[in-house]
Amino acid sequence: VDVVLAPPDERGRMTGDAVRATLAESGTDGVFAIVASFGTTNSGAIDELDAVADVCTELGAWMHVDAAYGGAALCAPSTAEDRRGFERADSFGIDPHKWLFAPYDSAALVYRAPELAAAAHAQHGVYLDVVSRDDWNPADFAFHLSRRARGLPLWFSLATHGTDAYTEAVETTLTVTRRFAAELDRRDGFTCLLDPQLSVVLFRVDGWDADRYAAWSKSRAKAGVALVVPTVWQGEPCYRTCVVNPLTTEAMLSSILDDMTNFGAR
C-alpha cells in the first residue's frame, strides 16, 4: 500500500482543497481510503472533515477518522461546528485512555458497517468456530486475535458516572484551555502559536532556545512541579500543554507560566 500525503495548511489541518490537489497530481487510480484527523496529537488540529467526506463520496473511498486523542470532544456541544462531517466517516479510532479517563491502552475502533470489517478481518479456523461463529466476537473486527477486555474499564466508568459527567468534564477542560490561551496572549514574554481547537495549546517563551526549553522541562519534572515537555511547531521549539484532567485549573497553569518567567530571569 502506498501512502500519499496531502500538505497541511498553516494550522496543520488537512483541507478538502489540498486533498483534491494532491489527487489531481497523483491520480485517483487505486485510491481506496482517506484518513482524516479529529485532533492531531501535537497541535490538536481538526481536519476539514466535511470537505474530505465529499471527496470520499465522489471517489467511493473509505473515510477513516483518527480521533485517538480528540474523539472525547464528540460529547462536548461546544465542538459541534468543528466536528461537522465526522458523522460521515466509515470508521474511526479513539483511545479512551487519553481524554476519557480510562486506564492506559483502552482503545476502540468503531465502524459504520461492522459486517464489512468482519469480512476483512475475521480469521477462520475450525478451532475458533465454537467461540467465533455463534456469537459476536471482537476478534473479527481487527487484525489481532488475542486481546483482553480493554473496554470494560470505560464501560464501568460510564455506568457509574453517566454520560453527562463526561460532557461536563470535557467541556471543563476545553474552557480552561481557551482561557489559558487567552492568558498567553495577554502575558509579556509568551506567544500563543495557535488558537486551540481542542485542549492542546502550543506556545513560545520569547527568547528561549531549544536548550532552555529542555532545561526548564527537565528541572521542573525532577522537582515535581510540572511535566511540560517541549515540542516543535513549524520548525520552531515550543511548549505543548494538553489539558485532559477536569481538575486542572487556570491557576495551576498560570503558576507554570510564573515559574517559567522566574526561570528565565536567572
Side-chain angles (χ1 to χ4, degrees):
V1 176
D2 294 324
V3 177
V4 180
L5 301 178
D9 68 6
E10 69 282 355
R11 292 183 53 83
R13 303 172 299 183
M14 184 170 70
T15 66
D17 287 344
V19 172
R20 292 182 188 281
T22 299
L23 292 176
E25 181 177 343
S26 67
T28 59
D29 185 42
V31 175
F32 63 90
I34 298 178
V35 179
S37 294
F38 183 70
T40 58
T41 302
N42 194 45
S43 67
I46 299 173
D47 292 340
E48 289 186 350
L49 301 178
D50 218 22
V52 172
D54 287 341
V55 178
C56 290
T57 298
E58 294 165 13
L59 293 177
W62 186 278
M63 179 181 176
H64 177 75
V65 176
D66 180 350
Y69 147 66
L74 293 173
C75 68
S78 65
T79 66
E81 182 59 28
D82 283 330
R83 67 173 182 263
R84 187 163 52 86
F86 194 110
E87 71 283 356
R88 300 171 64 184
D90 295 292
S91 61
F92 70 91
I94 182 171
D95 290 344
H97 70 258
K98 287 187 168 72
W99 198 2
L100 289 175
F101 325 115
Y104 185 71
D105 95 346
S106 177
L109 180 57
V110 182
Y111 297 97
R112 175 184 299 279
E115 64 275 10
L116 298 177
H121 293 298
Q123 302 177 54
H124 301 286
V126 292
Y127 56 90
L128 297 173
D129 286 348
V130 69
V131 294
S132 297
R133 304 283 75 83
D134 294 334
D135 299 300
W136 183 87
N137 190 326
D140 288 344
F141 301 94
F143 62 85
H144 53 310
L145 179 61
S146 300
R147 72 193 64 213
R148 61 189 184 82
R150 292 185 177 96
L152 276 178
L154 176 63
W155 184 89
F156 279 121
S157 185
L158 283 166
T160 300
H161 300 288
T163 56
D164 287 349
Y166 279 77
T167 294
E168 181 180 355
V170 173
E171 287 287 22
T172 296
T173 59
L174 290 170
T175 297
V176 169
T177 299
R178 294 171 190 135
R179 290 176 178 172
F180 178 57
E183 179 176 355
L184 285 166
D185 286 334
R186 295 191 302 268
R187 278 217 185 199
D188 291 336
F190 297 92
T191 301
C192 184
L193 300 178
L194 284 173
D195 290 331
Q197 286 190 279
L198 293 176
S199 67
V200 173
V201 177
L202 298 180
F203 66 96
R204 179 178 67 230
V205 185
D206 298 341
W208 282 22
D209 59 15
D211 290 338
R212 195 66 167 169
Y213 282 105
W216 180 89
S217 180
K218 183 177 181 179
S219 69
R220 307 331 281 152
K222 187 175 181 179
V225 173
L227 179 60
V228 180
V229 297
T231 187
V232 174
W233 175 249
Q234 295 184 344
E236 177 183 7
C238 61
Y239 279 126
R240 170 188 178 271
T241 62
C242 183
V243 183
V244 294
N245 189 333
L247 300 181
T248 301
T249 66
E250 298 168 59
M252 292 176 183
L253 297 173
S254 293
S255 69
I256 290 175
L257 298 183
D258 292 339
D259 194 85
M260 289 177 181
T261 299
N262 295 333
F263 188 85
R266 295 175 189 173

